[in-house]
Amino acid sequence: MNADLSTNFAYLFEEELLKEINNLGVPKKFKADTVIIELEDFIKSMPLLLSGAIKILREDEKGEELVLYYLEKGDTCAMTLSCCMGQTKSKIRAVAETDVSLILLPKEKMTVWLSKYKSWQSFILESYHNRVEELLEAIDTIAFLKMEDRLFKYLKDKAMVIHNDVLQVTHKQISEDLHTSRVVVSRLLKKLENEQKIALHRNSIKVLQL
């Protein structure tokens, strides 16, 4: 059995379900910045994340992206599950934030396992709950936080997801993720540095307050 599967999910799932996942799942690896799921794709399988982190994005009619939330090891994407069960096109883009290892599960098994395994039912319901909480947090961040606070939260969230307080991210990437200009990002990063919340380096940003 896949060692990462046992490590991440043995405490969640029955032995029989783990065996089914191991036998039916297709292991995949993606390099950082690789698009894993594209907007308007038909979803044929659901991912279980074994290692790394995935960024979930929405895109508007102008092609501008907005970060909704991150997936970490042990997670799945509730939106992907909805598309699997509803046979609809993807409403999100999933991009590898770091190098990623996952298992793709056949969509035909999603509803079968919901009735067959209580642990799977609990896992899916908890996944939905967590994603809804994260979506509400994203909405609150956009609606109620000043851009400076949004930027600092974005940096802290990214650091926690990749488990590293040194971020290899450009001002351009940040501006795209936050729907603002690179000039604004550069100005606010300098302000955060003056407040000793971050340290700016030539090709990286160190988050000092997590």
Side-chain angles (χ1 to χ4, degrees):
M1 183 176 290
N2 185 300
D4 287 335
L5 177 63
S6 296
T7 301
N8 291 319
F9 295 99
Y11 73 99
L12 285 175
F13 299 148
E14 301 96 325
E15 185 66 26
E16 187 179 348
L17 175 54
L18 285 172
K19 288 178 181 176
E20 284 205 57
I21 293 173
N22 190 65
N23 292 334
L24 296 172
V26 178
K28 290 281 187 180
K29 292 182 182 292
F30 297 92
K31 290 292 186 182
D33 299 322
T34 302
V35 176
I36 299 172
I37 299 172
E38 186 54 279
L39 286 158
E40 299 298 310
D41 279 353
F42 278 106
I43 306 298
K44 299 178 181 178
S45 54
M46 195 188 86
L48 284 183
L49 191 53
L50 300 179
S51 66
I54 297 173
K55 180 166 57 177
I56 304 299
L57 306 146
R58 280 280 287 165
E59 183 180 279
D60 66 15
E61 65 277 1
K62 297 178 182 178
E64 296 182 340
E65 295 178 331
L66 177 68
V67 177
L68 298 180
Y69 53 80
Y70 292 92
L71 301 176
E72 301 178 76
K73 67 177 181 179
D75 284 340
T76 189
C77 182
M79 289 188 176
T80 302
L81 178 66
S82 296
C83 293
C84 282
M85 297 177 69
Q87 298 184 358
T88 58
K89 293 181 180 180
S90 174
K91 303 294 192 299
I92 54 94
R93 176 178 291 123
V95 180
E97 178 74 8
T98 64
D99 290 350
V100 163
S101 175
L102 53 78
I103 291 181
L104 294 175
L105 302 175
K107 68 177 184 179
E108 294 79 12
K109 287 293 181 179
M110 300 302 97
T111 52
V112 174
W113 289 349
L114 281 174
S115 58
K116 186 176 180 180
Y117 298 109
K118 278 199 169 297
S119 63
W120 181 256
Q121 185 182 94
S122 298
F123 174 68
I124 294 303
L125 289 173
E126 184 175 354
S127 296
Y128 269 117
H129 172 76
N130 291 339
R131 299 298 85 82
V132 168
E133 289 288 319
E134 287 162 343
L135 284 173
L136 290 174
E137 185 177 349
I139 292 168
D140 287 346
T141 297
I142 295 167
F144 303 123
L145 290 186
K146 295 185 299 183
M147 182 54 70
E148 178 185 342
D149 297 327
R150 283 182 62 196
L151 173 58
F152 188 46
K153 182 181 184 304
Y154 166 90
L155 296 173
K156 289 194 297 180
D157 287 349
K158 187 179 280 285
M160 286 187 284
V161 163
I162 67 173
H163 305 291
N164 191 337
D165 59 3
V166 177
L167 308 177
Q168 306 295 328
V169 61
T170 67
H171 294 196
K172 182 176 183 293
Q173 289 171 322
I174 296 171
S175 67
E176 289 172 350
D177 284 346
L178 294 181
H179 269 228
T180 190
S181 72
R182 189 160 45 179
V183 172
V184 169
V185 166
S186 297
R187 176 174 58 79
L188 292 178
L189 285 174
K190 194 64 183 174
K191 187 172 187 293
L192 290 173
E193 183 177 48
N194 291 337
E195 294 171 355
Q196 298 185 332
K197 294 179 178 178
I198 64 171
L200 297 175
H201 302 288
R202 184 173 181 181
N203 296 309
S204 65
I205 298 170
K206 182 178 177 64
V207 182
L208 302 177
Q209 296 182 21
L210 286 174

